[in-house]
Amino acid sequence: MSRIGILTCSNVTQDLGCSSINCLADFKKRGGEFEVYSNDEDLTLVGIINCPGCPTLTGPDKLIKRIRALTEFQVDAIHFTYCIKVLCPFKEKYKSALEQTFPDIKIVVGTHKSALTPEAFREKIKGLFNQEQKTMVDVILKKA
Ligand code: SF4
């Protein structure tokens, strides 16, 4: 039996509204990076938490505190989502910091598989972030 936690990217969950639906689908089907777990093995999803946001000056310290939401509950492995794998410039630093801090927990980079190439996926996400979006500024200036 393996107990799994999932770390998601805040940019994707908070700003772009991803509910981790593809990660959960492959978790259930043992697809993507979950293929390593055999179908006979019980797989428990302990929890999902988003990263604390891009780290600026704090480095991985904020993440190490935040990931306690998973590490305190006997996880065997923490999977970084596909979005982190393809989009996050800090993933290697995060992985090393977590491996050093929690040597008994396996850190896996990836969750679901994708029909898109990483490059195509990145372009799509970039397109979403670059959409024109009205804000409160537009309301205040009576442009919305
Ligand atoms: S640090 Fe990485 S995972 Fe977290 S919000 Fe930034 S890009 Fe996403």
Side-chain angles (χ1 to χ4, degrees), residues 15 19 47 116 128 133:
D15 290 349
S19 64
L116 297 172
L128 290 179
Q133 189 190 15

Side-chain angles (χ1 to χ4, degrees), residues 7-113:
L7 179 74
T8 63
C9 168
S10 284
N11 283 322
V12 176
T13 56
Q14 309 295 302
D15 290 349
L16 299 181
C18 181
S19 64
S20 309
I21 193 162
N22 283 344
C23 298
L24 295 178
D26 267 358
F27 175 84
K28 213 166 153 190
K29 289 186 298 200
R30 306 281 208 274
E33 303 296 332
F34 300 109
E35 272 178 1
V36 293
Y37 307 101
S38 97
N39 281 324
D40 306 332
E41 183 182 2
D42 271 350
L43 211 54
T44 300
L45 181 63
V46 175
I48 303 181
I49 193 159
N50 56 286
C51 92
C54 291
T56 62
L57 295 178
T58 63
D61 296 353
K62 266 168 90 179
L63 176 62
I64 286 169
K65 276 192 213 149
R66 189 171 176 80
I67 205 79
R68 290 187 64 241
L70 299 174
T71 56
E72 292 293 311
F73 299 95
Q74 298 157 18
V75 286
D76 300 301
I78 293 175
H79 282 247
F80 289 4
T81 55
Y82 176 79
C83 292
I84 293 184
K85 178 178 178 177
V86 174
L87 303 172
C88 179
F90 311 103
K91 63 178 178 281
E92 291 306 329
K93 209 179 261 184
Y94 280 173
K95 184 172 185 284
S96 309
L98 293 181
E99 283 169 343
Q100 229 172 7
T101 312
F102 306 104
D104 297 333
I105 298 176
K106 195 163 185 237
I107 308 298
V108 182
V109 180
T111 44
H112 64 81
K113 55 183 172 303

